[in-house]
Amino acid sequence: MTEQTITLDTADGPMQMFVAYPDQGGRVPALVVIQEAFGVNGHIKNVCRRLAAAGYAAFAPELFHRLGAGVDLPYDDFAKVMPAFVTLTNDSLLTDVQAALAGARADVHVDSTRVGVIGFCVGGFAAFLAAERADVTVSVAFYGGGIVHERPNIKLTPLLGDVASISAPLLLVFGGQDQSIPPADIDAIQAALADADKAHTIAVMPEGGHGFACDDRAAYHQPSSDEAWRLTFEWLQRHLGQ
């Protein structure tokens, strides 16, 4: 496995992006890994490494680049996270994800016809947004909040009204114990995607809370994480190949 950090130009200035490549030669499928609300931290870099070990090139753009490079915020003090989190908008997320997708497609290690997205927390929201408004081969969203309802003091706006524009198969993974994404929201997402006849799977990990797949968080629940990753790799193999 090879790792590096590169810098991309965006409409809002330079953006760093952590990259992990698999060992095999030739052009491989790729995934843009969309961070949680805490930055491109050790967990997100480990997600990139996990994907690279499975044969995918992984690219993690820094969504907080407008605040500076290398923003890494604590899991145990959300008061320190909010000033960065509230700067995010649907348009800024889309700008950054599209720049990352373009960077991935231009990479000599990547098969440009097989590039998808996978996101966690606010990155899950962004992965849903990318399925609606970006050119992606596949999308995977872990516990993406704010898809159904607007949230107080947050600039991100709900996505459910634009599901007709989705063009990529979408895997959505939620935690059954996630207090921030109630079952009614999951049901609403399921109904909207089904009514629009979009290729999708929704998986709920009954014992998982918000952030259950992050082993750096108190919410980590290994059985839920293991099952979610099993489903994820099955989904990626089916729709992105290897």
Side-chain angles (χ1 to χ4, degrees), residues 66-221:
R66 295 165 185 82
L67 304 176
V71 175
D72 185 343
L73 301 168
Y75 283 116
D76 59 357
D77 189 350
F78 207 71
K80 294 181 178 178
V81 176
M82 281 302 293
F85 186 50
V86 298
T87 66
L88 299 176
T89 67
N90 290 36
D91 286 344
S92 72
L93 289 178
L94 190 62
T95 292
D96 294 348
V97 171
Q98 287 179 323
L101 288 166
R105 289 194 175 96
D107 193 292
V108 296
H109 301 91
V110 170
D111 177 353
S112 63
T113 66
R114 295 186 292 159
V115 180
V117 293
I118 180 171
F120 303 82
C121 186
V122 68
F125 175 95
F128 198 105
L129 175 66
E132 291 183 336
R133 297 180 58 190
D135 179 15
V136 295
T137 307
V138 67
S139 179
V140 178
F142 276 60
Y143 31 81
I147 293 171
V148 179
H149 297 293
E150 196 163 358
R151 293 173 289 180
N153 304 314
I154 302 297
K155 295 178 183 177
L156 302 174
T157 56
L159 304 175
L160 217 54
D162 201 23
V163 295
S165 65
I166 290 175
S167 58
L170 182 60
L171 172 64
L172 298 164
V173 181
F174 297 102
Q177 305 301 313
D178 189 339
Q179 301 301 308
S180 67
I181 307 173
D185 283 13
I186 299 172
D187 291 344
I189 295 168
Q190 167 65 26
L193 292 172
D195 288 348
D197 196 26
K198 298 302 178 181
H200 72 284
T201 291
I202 292 180
V204 179
M205 305 298 110
E207 298 180 77
H210 194 77
F212 68 78
C214 176
D215 56 7
D216 289 333
R217 298 179 74 164
Y220 179 60
H221 187 257

Side-chain angles (χ1 to χ4, degrees), residues 1-6 17-25 28 45 48-53 56-59 107 109:
M1 185 184 308
T2 304
E3 302 175 7
Q4 63 176 344
T5 297
I6 64 176
M17 185 160 66
F18 178 80
V19 187
Y21 300 105
D23 288 332
Q24 62 259 46
V28 298
K45 291 177 181 179
C48 292
R49 295 175 183 120
R50 185 173 199 157
L51 292 166
Y56 303 97
F59 300 78
D107 193 292
H109 301 91

